[in-house]
Each structure stands twice: as C-alpha cells, then as structure tokens.
Amino acid sequence: MKIQTTAIHAGDRKPAQSQIPVSTPVHFAASWICADQAEQDRIFAHEQHGFAYSRYANPTNQALEELITALENGYGALACASGMVALQHAILSALLERPKKVLCARDIYGATLKLLYDVLGPFGIETILVDANNPAEVAQAIAAHQPGALLIETISNPTLRVADIPALAQLCRAAQVALLVDNTFATPLLVRPMDLGAHIVIHSSTKYLGGHGDAMGGLIVSDEAHFETIRRLSRIAGPILGPMECFLTMRGIKTFPLRMERHCQNARALAAWLRTHPGVERVFYTDDPNHPDRAIIDRLLPADLYGGMVSFELKGARKPEVFAFLDRLKLCVKATSLGDVHTLVLYPWIASHRDVPLEQKATMDLRENLVRFSVGIEAVEDIIDDIRQALG
Ligand SMILES: *Cc1c(COP(=O)(O)O)cnc(C)c1O
C-alpha cells in the first residue's frame, strides 16, 4: 500500500473494546460504517437505532442529550449549536402544526425578541408581547389572538421576575397552546418546568450548565408529543452542537449542582450587603421579602436557592457614572454572558437591552443606572471587596 493510502486508513476505524471508558469519548466521525447494507437500510428506515450520519445522531451528543433529559425530567432532548438556535428550532417545531403566532413574555432576553421579530417575523410568524407575570392578561391574550405557543423565561433578565409556570401551563393546555420555557437562569436545580406542565424547555448551556465560559451550546428538552417533530426537523435543518462542545458541556454539567449552590449562596450574601450600601438605590434579588412575585417564588423555588443573578441600581447615576463604576472593577469580569465560575458584570442599558425601545424599558422597570451581576463561585468576600472599592 502506498503512503498516501496508509495515511488515510492505518490505525483508524477500530471496533469498540469490551472495556468501557469512564467518560464518553468525543466522537468526531461524520458518518458510521454498518456491518452490512441490510443494517444500514434498517437504520435509514428508523427500524433500528444506530448511527449513520452525525447530523442525525452522534454518540457524544446522545450522551449529553440523555443527561439533560434526565435532569429536566423530559422525554427526549436535542443538543444545538447555541441557545438561540435551540430557541429557534423549538419555536419552529412547536408551531409546525399550530397557528404561526407566538405569545411572548415582555420581560425576556433581548436576542429572543430579535429572533422573533427580525428572523421569524419576515417568514410570517407573528409575535404578541404579554406580561407573563399576570396570568389574567395571558388568558385574555390567548383568547384574543389564539397563538400557537407561549414563550417565557423561568427567571427573567435583568429584573428577575418569576413566572407562575403551573398557572400558565394550565391556560396553555386548555387552549392547545405549546408552553416553551427558557430555563437558562433557573437551571433544573431550582425549577424543572416540565414537572410544572411545560411542553418544551430550552437552555443556553453556554451559561450555568457549561459553566466555564468556554463552550457555546443550546439544549431543547421536550415531552413525547413534541419530540418526534423536534428530532425529525433537526435531521434536515441540522441545528446540532458539535461533539467537542457536547463533551465540554457534559463535563460542565457534572459539577453544575455544586457550582449552582455556591452561585446562590454568594448571590444572596452580595444582595444582603448591597442593601446596606448608601450608594445603592434598588437591589433586585429573588430573596427580597417585597419581591413582586414573592408567593410564586416560595412555591416554585427550593428554600435558600434563589439563583445566581443580582441586579442593582447605582444611586443617582447616569451612563457616565455607571461607566466609571464598571471601569473601577478589578476582579469582576466585564464581559457579556452569565453563569460562569467567575463573576461577570453587564450593563444591560448598552448591552443586552440596547435595542429595546425606551418605553418598553420603562414597562420592564429597567433604568439607566442598573447593572447586572452574574455572581461567580469565588470567595464572596473578594467579590464584595471589589464592588466596595468600585462604589467608592
Ligand atoms: C444567553 C441566553 C440565550 C442565548 O443563548 P446563546 O447560547 O448565547 O445563543 C437565551 N436565553 C437566555 C435566557 C440567555 O441568557
């Protein structure tokens, strides 16, 4: 055999050993060889589960999908290339045989609104915004617009409102509306929306589940009724996550409950300290006794686990004072994203909510002096020291 041929074939394509590796290998293969053509025929016909082409299924992806299905108590899952493409694929799948209208929570991630208006809107998918924290308004909107889906977040960004998922699920189920819940902020340690009646759960695994700021990813978990569509459309549309990112995400998830507990502890301690600081106007954290969704939080979230996000307002500050505060921070990482091991700080006014119209910012109670912290798992004293010196 010539070197050009040897370089391509030697050492490769060994059958699996009987010993099992302790972690799922990264399967970089684009396609699989079957024992014979009859087996390949059965796999293509879906009569036999197996691997043929990585756009359809890949063993590394499958391991992550099984893991998130178990964590969210769903029927099945799909790992996607980003949280945004997971949202897009989930919405398209949910609306396939439903009216092309999405009822969407007013308090939602900025890019989710852009997905609905700029990407899906021109293809005829209509979006109607509602106050998802007001079930009576949602009931009215469902009756008036007959949407195909309701899209909400468990904990909203950046003002940390908590939706009454069981009440919304009841409204949706009575009207055959699909309930889609973006559970990125809460994670399955705090809330499992499928247990509360949601049909589909979406994650940006780039955030808490991956947890290290080194792998993009999105996850869709669904019930049995929606899973076949999600999978069938994905085989064609190909929104899938690469196997390396699946591996990194799975590795991240192994420590996510530990990390999340620490995120919650640190966030609670930081919120308590901020409330005592004279330079701070309002503190947004889900343990607040006067939180507008207090009763829902007490019903849905476990005691003492209130999430890792804290937002607060700098007293009397406009954009220049907020910039100066942020520029004085030394330890806290000034970058977009959230849920990483390190503390991250974001200024929603110029970042995530930059393109949200002023009047909508007002209805969201989002002011120019608000900063949002994703509290990391460092020693909380060091996080507080950094913010103290920056507040001056
Ligand atoms: C980041 C985020 C997304 C988008 O996820 P990407 O992985 O950045 O595509 C969606 N929803 C929420 C709540 C997010 O925080």
Side-chain angles (χ1 to χ4, degrees), residues 105-143:
R106 208 178 52 196
D107 283 293
I108 206 140
Y109 184 61
T112 303
L113 288 176
K114 288 192 131 194
L115 171 72
L116 289 166
Y117 286 115
D118 298 357
V119 180
L120 301 179
F123 292 95
I125 294 177
E126 190 188 334
T127 295
I128 303 123
L129 297 183
V130 282
D131 179 359
N133 296 99
N134 181 348
E137 190 186 317
V138 175
Q140 251 176 17
I142 288 177

Side-chain angles (χ1 to χ4, degrees), residues 239-261:
I240 52 151
L241 187 59
M244 187 67 206
E245 278 75 11
C246 286
F247 173 87
L248 289 169
T249 304
M250 199 167 179
R251 181 186 163 108
I253 287 178
K254 290 178 196 296
T255 55
F256 121 79
L258 269 176
R259 287 187 280 106
M260 197 63 198
E261 282 176 16

Side-chain angles (χ1 to χ4, degrees), residues 16-25:
Q17 305 288 309
S18 63
Q19 294 86 19
I20 300 167
V22 296
S23 67
T24 303

Side-chain angles (χ1 to χ4, degrees), residues 76-390:
L78 177 72
C80 297
S82 68
M84 291 319 298
V85 86
L87 276 164
Q88 180 189 323
H89 192 77
I91 293 167
L92 293 178
S93 301
L95 295 188
L96 190 67
E97 289 170 5
R98 289 193 177 94
K100 309 295 180 252
K101 282 185 196 175
V102 178
L103 203 57
C104 178
R106 208 178 52 196
D107 283 293
I108 206 140
Y109 184 61
T112 303
L113 288 176
K114 288 192 131 194
L115 171 72
L116 289 166
Y117 286 115
D118 298 357
V119 180
L120 301 179
F123 292 95
I125 294 177
E126 190 188 334
T127 295
I128 303 123
L129 297 183
V130 282
D131 179 359
N133 296 99
N134 181 348
E137 190 186 317
V138 175
Q140 251 176 17
I142 288 177
H145 300 283
Q146 315 218 310
L150 170 64
L151 174 61
I152 63 165
E153 289 171 2
T154 316
I155 301 178
S156 80
N157 175 28
T159 52
L160 310 178
R161 297 294 305 266
V162 179
D164 190 347
I165 299 175
L168 298 176
Q170 215 170 12
L171 294 173
C172 286
R173 285 179 182 265
Q176 272 97 54
V177 174
L179 176 57
L180 277 60
V181 181
D182 182 334
N183 202 30
T184 300
F185 272 43
T187 80
L189 186 71
L190 271 59
V191 180
R192 299 211 293 187
M194 309 274 312
D195 289 349
L196 305 175
H199 298 95
I200 301 178
V201 169
I202 301 105
H203 277 281
S204 166
S205 57
T206 316
K207 316 291 170 56
Y208 287 109
L209 295 180
H212 294 75
D214 54 9
M216 297 288 300
L219 300 168
I220 307 172
V221 188
S222 87
D223 60 4
E224 187 172 1
H226 293 87
F227 187 62
E228 191 277 330
T229 304
I230 290 169
R231 213 70 231 185
R232 182 165 56 82
L233 295 191
S234 137
R235 286 168 62 89
I236 311 160
I240 52 151
L241 187 59
M244 187 67 206
E245 278 75 11
C246 286
F247 173 87
L248 289 169
T249 304
M250 199 167 179
R251 181 186 163 108
I253 287 178
K254 290 178 196 296
T255 55
F256 121 79
L258 269 176
R259 287 187 280 106
M260 197 63 198
E261 282 176 16
R262 176 63 78 89
H263 284 299
C264 292
Q265 272 174 25
N266 282 359
R268 199 169 188 195
L270 175 63
W273 177 81
L274 286 167
R275 288 188 191 110
T276 67
H277 197 285
V280 172
E281 197 161 316
R282 292 191 297 175
V283 177
F284 294 80
Y285 190 57
T286 28
D287 74 340
D288 186 345
N290 301 315
H291 192 290
D293 308 312
R294 184 74 264 143
I296 297 162
I297 293 169
D298 290 342
R299 249 191 302 128
L300 298 194
L301 268 54
D304 298 331
L305 293 178
Y306 294 104
M309 305 298 297
V310 177
S311 298
F312 64 92
E313 293 170 343
L314 299 166
K315 196 169 276 174
R318 305 293 305 262
K319 200 152 74 171
E321 289 79 28
V322 176
F323 278 9
F325 163 74
L326 294 172
D327 285 339
R328 283 193 294 267
L329 288 168
K330 292 180 185 134
L331 178 75
C332 301
V333 179
K334 288 158 273 189
T336 189
S337 197
L338 61 107
D340 291 349
V341 285
H342 44 261
T343 297
L344 284 156
V345 56
L346 178 94
Y347 185 19
W349 198 263
I350 65 150
S352 57
H353 291 67
R354 189 182 185 98
D355 298 329
V356 176
L358 273 179
E359 69 207 67
Q360 198 183 330
K361 285 192 182 102
T363 54
M364 291 170 74
D365 204 11
L366 174 60
R367 298 183 191 163
E368 191 177 335
N369 59 348
L370 183 117
V371 288
R372 187 199 78 183
F373 278 75
S374 165
V375 185
I377 62 169
E378 303 97 333
V380 72
E381 296 84 349
D382 292 326
I383 302 169
I384 290 176
D385 278 351
D386 191 35
I387 297 174
R388 180 191 289 118
Q389 65 80 24

